[in-house]
Amino acid sequence: MSVDTAAEHRLLASVPTQLLIGSDWVDGSAGGTFTVKDPSTGDDLLTIADATPEDGIRALDAAVDAADAWAATPSRTRSNILRKAFDLVQERAEDFALLMTLEMGKPLAEARGEVAYGSEFLRWFSEEAVRISGRYQANPEGTGRSIVTQHPVGPCFFITPWNFPLAMATRKIAPALAAGCTVVVKPAELTPLTTLLLGQVFREAGLPDGVLNIITTTSSKAVSSPILDDPRLRKLSFTGSTPVGVSLMQQAAKNVLRTSMELGGNAPFLVFEDADMDKAVEGALLAKFRNIGEACTAANRFLVHESVAEDFTARITAAVKEFRIGRGTEDGVRIGPLINESAVTKAKELVDDAVRRGATLETGGSAVDGPGTFYEPTVVSGVVAGSDILRNEIFGPVVSITTFRDEDEAVALANDTEYGLVSYAFTQNLARGQRLIERLKTGMMGLNVGVISNASAPFGGVKQSGIGREGGLEGIHEYLDTKYTMTPNPFA
Ligand code: ADP
């Protein structure tokens, strides 16, 4: 079902346009604003407050002021608020989905999927909040007893990306609130509206003032720097590109901040000769084209055994030729716009370079005339070593196929990257699957599946893909400090 423009206007009129600082929605202190645009048309969506560095510090002040009371709030109360927020997002699921489609461009069906996935972090961590625990341990010498306890790390600062506007926010906010931490969040300037709507939901859910503060800004660096330099801040969690992550880690080192980093990926997708080819093709289409390819988990390099490469390429190409391009609100659209013009240029340059070096263009390969920033779903096969597309995160709807001769070569190619976020492998050979778990140097793996994200699983990478885990049993520990208290042997 397509969405009518009256529904879009009604929704946009309900989205907060100011900063959430402490108890109030407020304008930026310099009165500045900026306009969020629809990448499928280039049209203006909404004009919102543009925070200054002073606003950032005021938001941190609010988070600091609220920290002790929130940390002392019973975990059942924190849990209930998170659960209530989950229920409210469910009630407004269509609003959240449409808003993400409008500001980010993803097809509405996928935006609904993100509402389900993103809201689940609220429910999952509402359930984890009440399970924070410690231990009591006699030391081996028998001379003492240690009591191990967990404590909220304190005020947190979150910088989130534009590609999953709801999930990237909830994946950080939910465990932090569950752990008893207060938060300042700075969403990406390209897609800040979903976070603002989430802020409204948290207020309706009864979250105390100052526990969650939201600053939207076009001056990311200028606003973030003073917050990171402030010794009252205790934790930074960032999702975005590796270069920005590295520079934030350098800055965070000054105050020895705890950091969680979800950075770039260059996911290999391995198809072995013993794969179930129907499932491999289905998994490949999901791993590549979900979110228009704009995901750090997107399959970036298809590595296919030489005996099945022709069949795999033909099937993928046939499927891709059927994909409908268009605005995400239109029926049947699979490929929405890329986020902006530079994303289109990047995809185009990577494909052009691959073809120049000898790859075959099976389909696509061109930007689509505006309005909107669209790039055709594209397949290139026979991509040769040294092509830029094998080194760079494509972040677009481009399948790049290379062949391998045997498992050793496949593993060597897969691991030949500084990234280590996720790998995918399709094989029906159990022992091979087990070997790959040990051989592929990534924090996550999809074995015979094309989508791996789930709130119950610990998302995160190794190597230059990041530090820390979000979701799962691990997620809440990013927001807890471990302390032990040594006590004497009470019988001595
Ligand atoms: P992407 O390539 O996905 O846009 P970025 O790393 O550029 O990834 O952006 C991710 C988030 O980091 C966004 O919220 C953006 O505003 C923010 N950001 C980018 N550069 C900086 C910086 N120097 N300091 C603080 N935040 C930044």
Side-chain angles (χ1 to χ4, degrees):
M1 190 183 65
S2 341
V3 175
D4 63 278
T5 47
E8 291 175 17
H9 287 128
R10 265 197 312 278
L11 168 60
L12 289 170
S14 75
V15 175
T17 58
Q18 294 169 295
L19 315 174
L20 179 57
I21 299 182
S23 57
D24 299 308
W25 291 102
V26 295
D27 289 332
S29 54
T33 57
F34 67 103
T35 300
V36 181
K37 292 190 184 288
D38 178 341
S40 69
T41 58
D43 292 346
D44 293 350
L45 289 173
L46 208 54
T47 296
I48 65 171
D50 196 353
T52 61
E54 292 71 36
D55 296 324
I57 290 299
R58 277 171 49 225
L60 180 61
D61 291 342
V64 169
D65 288 348
D68 286 349
W70 183 243
T73 299
S75 62
R76 176 60 71 200
T77 306
R78 301 200 304 265
S79 168
N80 286 343
I81 291 171
L82 283 166
R83 177 63 204 222
K84 178 78 184 162
F86 168 79
D87 292 338
L88 290 170
V89 174
Q90 294 296 308
E91 277 171 32
R92 298 192 67 181
E94 277 303 296
D95 285 353
F96 274 97
L98 178 57
L99 192 57
M100 285 193 280
T101 293
L102 293 180
E103 67 175 341
M104 186 273 167
K106 69 184 72 189
L108 197 51
E110 292 193 34
R112 290 183 180 124
E114 184 177 343
V115 175
Y117 167 58
S119 64
E120 189 56 43
F121 288 97
L122 301 170
R123 179 161 62 177
W124 175 262
F125 285 108
S126 79
E127 291 158 350
E128 289 302 291
V130 291
R131 309 209 190 286
I132 299 166
S133 63
R135 65 182 195 269
Y136 180 78
Q137 188 178 4
N139 66 13
E141 301 78 14
T143 54
R145 304 283 186 269
S146 57
I147 304 164
V148 181
T149 48
Q150 304 288 335
H151 306 267
V153 299
C156 302
F157 182 39
F158 297 157
I159 301 176
T160 57
W162 49 265
N163 58 344
F164 290 98
L166 180 64
M168 297 303 100
T170 54
R171 210 159 79 170
K172 299 183 191 306
I173 293 169
L177 300 191
C181 296
T182 57
V183 168
V184 176
V185 58
K186 190 209 79 61
E189 56 273 39
L190 294 166
T191 64
L193 304 180
T194 304
T195 304
L196 293 170
L197 193 61
L198 184 65
Q200 189 182 70
V201 156
F202 268 113
R203 284 166 70 84
E204 281 173 40
L207 191 69
D209 294 343
V211 175
L212 174 66
N213 305 277
I214 303 171
I215 46 172
T216 50
T217 183
T218 51
S219 313
S220 295
K221 192 173 168 128
V223 169
S224 300
S225 287
I227 298 176
L228 291 170
D229 287 343
D230 194 308
R232 297 173 301 168
L233 184 73
R234 291 314 317 140
K235 165 97 195 184
L236 165 68
S237 179
F238 169 76
T239 300
S241 60
T242 296
V244 174
V246 168
S247 101
L248 291 171
M249 281 179 81
Q250 282 165 342
Q251 209 179 339
K254 263 192 273 179
N255 287 326
V256 195
L257 274 190
R258 282 188 65 178
T259 56
S260 301
M261 294 278 146
E262 298 290 351
L263 307 177
N266 182 359
F269 188 109
L270 283 66
V271 183
F272 287 89
E273 64 276 24
D274 50 26
D276 176 327
M277 206 40 84
D278 290 340
K279 291 197 174 130
V281 169
E282 189 188 329
L285 294 172
L286 281 172
K288 179 73 250 182
F289 291 100
R290 191 173 73 110
N291 224 41
I292 325 161
E294 294 173 310
C296 52
T297 52
N300 212 56
R301 295 170 293 147
F302 287 86
L303 307 173
V304 186
H305 189 264
E306 56 189 8
S307 67
V308 293
E310 205 178 306
D311 182 31
F312 179 81
T313 304
R315 293 205 211 188
I316 291 279
T317 304
V320 167
K321 282 182 174 165
E322 297 299 311
F323 284 170
R324 183 157 167 227
I325 309 176
R327 191 169 191 244
T329 50
E330 289 163 15
D331 289 338
V333 162
R334 179 77 185 253
I335 305 294
L338 294 184
I339 191 69
N340 56 21
E341 203 58 58
S342 65
V344 174
T345 305
K346 181 179 176 189
K348 187 165 170 29
E349 283 175 0
L350 291 174
V351 169
D352 290 351
D353 172 78
V355 171
R356 218 173 15 249
R357 292 175 194 256
T360 304
L361 182 64
E362 304 280 351
T363 184
S366 301
V368 179
D369 286 343
T373 42
F374 292 88
Y375 186 78
E376 289 178 331
T378 297
V379 179
V380 280
S381 64
V383 173
V384 301
S387 298
D388 292 346
I389 205 165
L390 299 176
R391 295 257 153 244
N392 290 275
E393 208 174 9
I394 305 167
F395 245 64
V398 179
V399 176
S400 151
I401 301 173
T402 307
T403 58
F404 65 81
R405 279 185 301 278
D406 56 27
E407 186 180 312
D408 283 346
E409 188 186 14
V411 168
L413 288 171
N415 287 337
D416 183 21
T417 167
E418 71 270 27
Y419 294 110
L421 191 62
V422 59
S423 49
Y424 302 89
F426 277 73
T427 174
Q428 295 189 91
N429 178 331
L430 177 60
R432 169 173 280 154
Q434 289 178 293
R435 283 196 298 276
L436 293 172
I437 293 172
E438 299 190 24
R439 298 185 80 186
L440 295 175
K441 305 296 180 214
T442 55
M444 304 175 283
M445 180 171 166
L447 185 55
N448 296 318
V449 293
V451 175
I452 49 123
S453 299
N454 191 281
S456 67
F459 188 104
V462 298
K463 295 159 73 179
Q464 291 191 30
S465 287
I467 295 174
R469 293 295 179 266
E470 294 188 319
L473 300 180
E474 290 80 356
I476 200 163
H477 290 284
E478 301 284 316
Y479 301 97
L480 292 168
D481 282 327
T482 300
K483 174 179 190 174
Y484 78 84
T485 304
M486 189 55 77
T487 64
N489 176 349
F491 301 104

